[in-house]
């Protein structure tokens, strides 16, 4: 699956997609109030726990790649969010998602 997200000071939208025959099928989509979470990683954990169990039963819960839009400059694979007290760390997210770092997209 591919995990995609838009990270903002007010809200964070995350979605998971399965790719089959060159087409993207949305598996799950959730919106979170950013300030209700202490970190982006905690939102990702919440989202992954909410993916429908039918998806997990197929073994498709493995995240192959991820991409996130975060307001702020990317320096050394990290973003200090402009409107939140968060640092979004690409290497830490790759570990959390068990995604090979070379496939992780900022």
């Amino acid at each position: 699956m591919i995990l995609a997200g838009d990270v903002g000071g007010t809200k964070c939208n995350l979605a998971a997609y399965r790719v089959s025959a060159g087409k993207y099928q949305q598996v799950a989509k959730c919106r979170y109030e950013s300030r209700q979470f202490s970190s982006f990683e905690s939102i990702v954990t919440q989202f992954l726990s909410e993916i429908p169990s039918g998806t997990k039963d197929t073994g498709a819960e493995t995240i192959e790649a991820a991409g996130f839009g975060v307001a702020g400059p990317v320096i050394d694979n990290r973003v200090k969010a402009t409107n939140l007290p968060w640092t979004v760390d690409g290497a830490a997210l790759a570990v959390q998602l068990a995604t090979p770092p070379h496939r992780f997209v900022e």
Side-chain angles (χ1 to χ4, degrees), residues 34-89:
S34 300
R35 300 211 182 260
Q36 293 181 358
F37 293 84
S38 61
S39 67
F40 179 62
E41 291 83 357
S42 62
I43 292 178
V44 170
T45 298
Q46 179 72 32
F47 177 75
L48 294 176
S49 75
E50 294 174 354
I51 290 178
S53 61
T55 301
K56 293 179 182 179
D57 291 343
T58 66
E61 74 276 26
T62 301
I63 305 296
E64 298 174 27
F68 307 101
V70 184
V74 178
I75 300 172
D76 294 328
N77 202 26
R78 277 182 260 163
V79 177
K80 170 66 177 96
T82 303
N83 297 316
L84 291 165
W86 299 348
T87 297
V88 179
D89 185 317

